[in-house]
Amino acid sequence: MLARRRPAGPGPTALLLVALLAAEARASWLIRRPLSPSGPELRQAARAALHFFNYRAASPSTVRVLKEVLNGTALIREEGENIKVAFSIESYRTENSQLGTCSALVGFKDHKSRPTVNISCTPLLDQKERKKEDYKLYKQIKQLETPPFETTIPGKLGDMDPSLQPLWELAMIGNSFLMWEKTTSTSSYYYVQQITNIKKWIRPDDFIILHYRLLLHEFRTQEIISCHLHLVWHPEKPSKTQYHCQDSGTQENGSGNSEGSGFL
Amino acid sequence: MPMAAGGPALLRLIMRGLPILSFLLTVAFSQKMFSGDQVLRIRAKDQKQLQLLRNLEDSEDLKVDFWHAPARPSLPVDMRVPFSNLNAVKNYLNSSGISYTIMIKDIQVLLDEEKKGMSSSRRLERSTSSFRYNAYHTLEEIYTWMDNLVAEHSDLVSKIMIGQTFEKRPIFVLKFSTGNKSRPAIWIDSGIHAREWITQATGVWTAMKIVTDCGEEPVLTNILNHMDIFLEVVTNPDGFAYTHSTNRLWRKNRAVNSNSTCKGVDPNRNWDAGFGGVGSSNNPCSETYHGPFPHSEPEVASIANFIQKHKHFKALMSIHSYSQMLLYPYGYRKEPTLDNEELHNLACKAVEALSQVHGTDYIYGRAISTIYVANGITIDWAYEHDIKYSFSFELRDTGIYGFLLPASQIIPTAEETWPAILTIMKHAYKNPY
């Protein structure tokens, strides 16, 4: 048997080259991570996506509510995560009892809010129906007398006067913008509990201006945050939202503003 | 039974009848059951005095009821002493050199004053059949309803006072029992967080459901033939009253915190299980402030002491809102419990039973991974105190109305939650340990 000479080991230069190449490759690696449909990450992504959708659609008569997360995966990048998620939704207006599905790609940047969202949902109503319903609500709000300053929607018993429901539905557009902006990756999520101190104007160009105070429930800390929100809306034109929140413990202020389109 | 004529047999008969007679008298005068009872506050100076106090607790005859059990010297020990044993207990304390103050001179007076307040408030329901289960109620209305329930179903239900809140409101637990000896038991509490109004309302409906189904529905009847159910409907009375009078979104109790103008401790962070960790706050102004030490809060201590004294609790369910979840331990540790698989499967069954009623979707799992890390929570303490089947419910909804759930959803929520509760109770009954 011929003795074999062991091949020479890689020289130091070769080692350095391999190390450099590996580092280069790792930077652009996208690690795919399967996620449980009942897990918190997918739920968080679905929430952020739906808030974004509701605010961009700016259609108070077809606000959607999350029903069930169906499936999804996470793609881990250096600066955060992209989460692909599919979920079922239902119409906020339970009397319609319509169902639908959405699929979205949500980009969370590490510890930064305002996740990027790319989303498409099945329509709840056809475009003509939706326009009709939004205009109906628009007329109701125009004709409505502004409720007294101390009126809360809902009331403390969870009651909502039917005449005030259009205001609550319109406010959900502004609330959705606020909740989307504040939703970070897996740390916090928010729900609006109540609105009050409602002021309503009609601008000369027929836009409705709604200004109100809202109580936001932050789930992880269980804190209630008071915010003021200013919403400018018209059924067929881009809407605009501005808000200013006061953090209960730290007096920290957060604010933001945006434009949402009339339809998607 | 030998029918011996004459004195000794007759005496024996009377002796046998005495307990029954006194029981009947107690039932007849049940409204005045606490007359003359006092609550004493003791500060034990050292371990020796603490041990003397514990001896008191062990004495069956004196029937002393600790609201704040003997834990460490310098921590107050509060105990309720029945009127008939006051002299004996006070003599014992005096001769042992243990100083005490009388915190409540006569519990009955306190309860009477509470009742007077209730009768002067609006809308007093006369019976549980006219009680509106599809509406939210005040503390007074719920306490009145409780008395009505006990009066109408005294063979099954009794009311026990297990403690007193910071603002001196009584803390009541309803006991459902068809037996007269200590049986393995199930604990249910609702309203530990004041603003979660759907939970107290569900607790009320659930009590009504138990009295309705007992003797009629086979599964529950079977359970009650072997186990007792304890239901604390308003676990945080001070907080609950505050949500009615002042701030509808108040969560904690109304404890005054030293060194802070902020009031309240989160009762669901005050339990002695991973107390003080990152899943709670040490800032009195925070909604998850854990309090100065474990069981510092009477709302928590009263339950812990009651459960530990009873010694036979087999299942515990703590009812919260909102999120539509069914959770089991741990909240404070990443590691699953040794019973993880069994608890997971049981939660699965319970949630399935729930969804059959109105199609409501619930998620279930370990608290830490399903909701968030939380330290010092009820179910973790219960699990670590040998109550294997410890679950936390988060009722409707998922955020549309949150805490301000419309009253129209009370009965549907209670109706769907009941089969889940029953599933857990049935499992505990069929799997004794």
Side-chain angles (χ1 to χ4, degrees):
Chain A
M1 192 100 70
L2 271 181
R4 282 200 182 183
R5 241 189 318 151
R6 277 164 93 225
T13 330
L15 274 171
L16 188 59
L17 215 68
V18 169
L20 279 174
L21 281 169
E24 176 78 49
R26 208 185 314 135
S28 55
W29 278 350
L30 283 179
I31 304 165
R32 209 168 271 273
R33 190 163 67 94
L35 290 173
S36 160
S38 57
E41 296 100 328
L42 281 186
R43 262 184 279 133
Q44 187 71 345
R47 271 183 218 117
L50 196 54
H51 288 323
F52 178 82
F53 182 89
N54 283 326
Y55 125 69
R56 286 301 303 259
S59 162
S61 65
T62 56
V63 169
R64 287 151 169 84
V65 153
L66 176 62
K67 187 160 160 63
E68 207 190 329
V69 173
L70 301 169
N71 56 64
T73 44
L75 298 143
I76 304 170
R77 301 173 350 251
E78 255 189 54
E79 336 80 67
E81 272 191 331
N82 276 354
I83 300 191
K84 191 161 191 277
V85 61
F87 51 93
S88 65
I89 53 98
E90 49 190 0
S91 158
Y92 165 78
R93 287 186 174 178
T94 46
E95 53 276 17
N96 300 343
S97 64
Q98 275 142 329
L99 298 174
T101 49
C102 300
S103 78
L105 187 61
V106 183
F108 287 117
K109 285 195 193 39
D110 290 333
H111 309 302
K112 288 201 175 77
S113 47
R114 244 198 197 216
T116 59
V117 177
N118 226 305
I119 180 171
S120 66
C121 294
T122 56
L124 281 181
L125 299 172
D126 70 39
Q127 214 182 67
K128 210 170 120 193
E129 261 300 301
R130 178 163 52 92
K131 205 161 127 172
K132 189 171 137 220
E133 288 299 319
D134 280 344
Y135 264 102
K136 193 166 146 203
L137 183 137
Y138 172 70
K139 273 213 298 264
Q140 285 169 327
I141 296 183
K142 271 177 107 175
Q143 290 162 357
L144 185 67
E145 221 182 272
T146 304
F149 198 65
E150 337 71 54
T151 302
T152 64
I153 310 176
K156 78 175 189 191
L157 302 176
D159 50 301
M160 196 181 303
D161 193 311
S163 67
L164 297 178
Q165 178 149 334
L167 285 177
W168 174 252
E169 288 181 335
L170 179 58
M172 284 200 276
I173 308 303
N175 297 345
S176 296
F177 171 71
L178 166 59
M179 292 186 289
W180 162 66
E181 267 224 335
K182 287 177 97 60
T183 302
T184 62
S185 53
T186 48
S187 48
S188 309
Y189 53 102
Y190 301 82
Y191 292 109
V192 173
Q193 298 298 302
Q194 207 177 39
I195 67 174
T196 187
N197 306 157
I198 301 159
K199 290 196 242 178
K200 177 200 69 150
W201 303 273
I202 315 294
R203 250 182 13 193
D205 57 0
D206 261 351
F207 270 78
I208 292 178
I209 300 181
L210 203 66
H211 188 100
Y212 55 94
R213 187 165 86 95
L214 64 100
L215 292 176
L216 193 65
H217 174 223
E218 184 187 346
F219 218 88
R220 189 183 51 85
T221 61
Q222 292 294 323
E223 299 295 331
I224 304 291
I225 303 165
S226 175
C227 306
H228 280 95
L229 196 137
H230 188 95
L231 170 66
V232 179
W233 179 77
H234 185 280
E236 280 186 295
K237 310 213 180 112
S239 68
K240 197 161 179 225
T241 308
Q242 278 171 295
Y243 70 84
H244 180 90
C245 289
Q246 198 159 38
D247 228 331
S248 50
T250 66
Q251 288 293 296
E252 208 187 87
N253 292 328
S255 47
N257 60 68
S258 86
E259 303 220 344
S261 65
F263 16 38
L264 259 179
Chain B
M1 187 163 87
M3 291 293 279
L10 188 60
L11 191 64
R12 254 179 274 137
L13 203 63
I14 292 170
M15 292 295 281
R16 205 172 286 158
L18 256 177
I20 302 166
L21 187 63
S22 63
F23 171 72
L24 285 171
L25 281 171
T26 313
V27 167
F29 294 114
S30 61
Q31 293 286 63
K32 289 279 170 190
M33 226 162 74
F34 300 107
S35 203
D37 289 6
Q38 292 189 347
V39 176
L40 308 180
R41 168 157 288 187
I42 297 138
R43 257 174 232 277
K45 280 191 298 216
D46 49 35
Q47 284 295 343
K48 182 159 160 259
Q49 290 201 340
L50 271 181
Q51 190 49 49
L52 290 169
L53 285 173
R54 288 198 194 98
N55 292 344
L56 246 186
E57 189 176 23
D58 293 334
S59 156
E60 295 273 309
D61 303 318
L62 290 175
K63 294 193 180 35
V64 159
D65 179 20
F66 281 93
W67 285 6
H68 251 103
R72 298 197 277 281
S74 84
L75 285 181
V77 174
D78 295 341
M79 62 183 187
R80 179 179 69 81
V81 185
F83 176 69
S84 51
N85 301 327
L86 266 177
N87 282 336
V89 171
K90 284 179 181 172
N91 283 339
Y92 179 83
L93 293 173
N94 287 334
S95 60
S96 310
I98 300 176
S99 58
Y100 63 91
T101 53
I102 300 174
M103 224 173 63
I104 302 177
K105 260 212 320 229
D106 187 347
I107 293 191
Q108 194 55 47
V109 171
L110 199 77
L111 294 175
D112 289 344
E113 275 168 6
E114 181 85 7
K115 263 199 122 73
K116 249 189 276 169
M118 292 199 287
S119 54
S120 64
S121 71
R122 41 161 190 132
R123 264 194 297 147
L124 254 205
E125 313 274 358
R126 291 288 151 222
S127 81
T128 62
S129 54
S130 61
F131 189 85
R132 291 179 312 133
Y133 293 93
N134 60 351
Y136 291 111
H137 292 276
T138 63
L139 184 64
E140 295 72 30
E141 287 163 357
I142 293 178
Y143 277 10
T144 303
W145 161 85
M146 251 186 234
D147 287 338
N148 289 338
L149 188 78
V150 170
E152 291 165 29
H153 301 274
S154 50
D155 51 332
L156 177 64
V157 200
S158 55
K159 184 177 87 170
I160 306 172
M161 181 171 165
I162 62 164
Q164 195 187 40
T165 65
F166 187 86
E167 291 179 342
K168 314 234 182 295
R169 290 184 174 84
I171 305 174
F172 293 125
V173 172
L174 293 173
K175 176 182 179 183
F176 301 84
S177 179
T178 63
N180 51 11
K181 278 206 285 241
S182 184
R183 289 172 160 178
I186 293 149
W187 175 271
I188 306 172
D189 65 71
S190 50
I192 197 169
H193 286 141
R195 61 192 179 197
E196 298 165 10
W197 278 20
I198 186 60
T199 69
Q200 297 94 339
T202 295
V204 166
W205 185 95
T206 302
M208 180 274 295
K209 180 68 171 167
I210 294 173
V211 306
T212 307
D213 276 10
C214 181
E216 301 291 320
E217 193 278 310
V219 177
L220 177 71
T221 304
N222 206 12
I223 292 169
L224 277 172
N225 279 338
H226 299 91
M227 300 178 87
D228 294 339
I229 301 173
F230 291 86
L231 172 55
E232 186 173 348
V233 176
V234 188
T235 305
N236 180 2
D238 289 353
F240 187 57
Y242 195 68
T243 57
H244 273 277
S245 65
T246 314
N247 180 351
R248 172 62 179 82
L249 293 176
W250 187 261
R251 168 184 167 91
K252 306 184 283 183
N253 70 1
R254 293 294 296 164
V256 165
N257 294 310
S258 54
N259 299 333
S260 178
T261 50
C262 292
K263 284 194 180 183
V265 168
D266 182 347
N268 201 30
R269 298 290 187 277
N270 187 244
W271 296 80
D272 195 5
F275 179 87
V278 299
S280 59
S281 171
N282 59 7
N283 178 356
C285 299
S286 164
E287 296 281 20
T288 54
Y289 174 50
H290 48 59
F293 53 85
H295 303 195
S296 56
E297 303 314 296
E299 293 84 359
V300 171
S302 54
I303 301 174
N305 294 337
F306 185 81
I307 286 179
Q308 288 183 292
K309 196 167 167 189
H310 185 278
K311 299 200 214 320
H312 297 298
F313 275 94
K314 298 298 168 190
L316 174 137
M317 286 169 266
S318 193
I319 316 232
H320 293 253
S321 77
Y322 56 94
S323 266
Q324 289 172 209
M325 293 178 178
L326 182 55
L327 309 166
Y328 46 88
Y330 288 109
Y332 83 90
R333 318 173 49 189
K334 281 224 301 264
E335 296 76 30
T337 66
L338 291 174
D339 301 295
N340 193 68
E341 195 178 334
E342 185 183 2
L343 295 178
H344 184 89
N345 293 335
L346 181 52
C348 182
K349 277 177 69 182
V351 155
E352 171 63 32
L354 187 152
S355 69
Q356 293 294 321
V357 185
H358 296 297
T360 306
D361 295 314
Y362 263 57
I363 315 169
Y364 59 97
R366 277 183 292 132
I368 193 172
S369 44
T370 311
I371 193 165
Y372 42 49
V373 56
N375 287 65
I377 66 176
T378 313
I379 59 172
D380 286 359
W381 177 87
Y383 184 81
E384 289 184 340
H385 283 77
D386 305 321
I387 303 178
K388 180 161 52 152
Y389 305 114
S390 290
F391 290 91
S392 205
F393 280 79
E394 293 279 351
L395 303 184
R396 291 193 194 182
D397 60 12
T398 53
I400 312 160
Y401 293 105
F403 300 121
L404 272 58
L405 197 69
S408 57
Q409 292 200 40
I410 295 175
I411 293 183
T413 302
E415 280 175 340
E416 68 193 8
T417 309
W418 173 246
I421 294 175
L422 199 59
T423 301
I424 293 168
M425 295 199 296
K426 184 174 165 190
H427 187 94
Y429 159 56
K430 285 201 179 292
N431 295 276
Y433 59 93

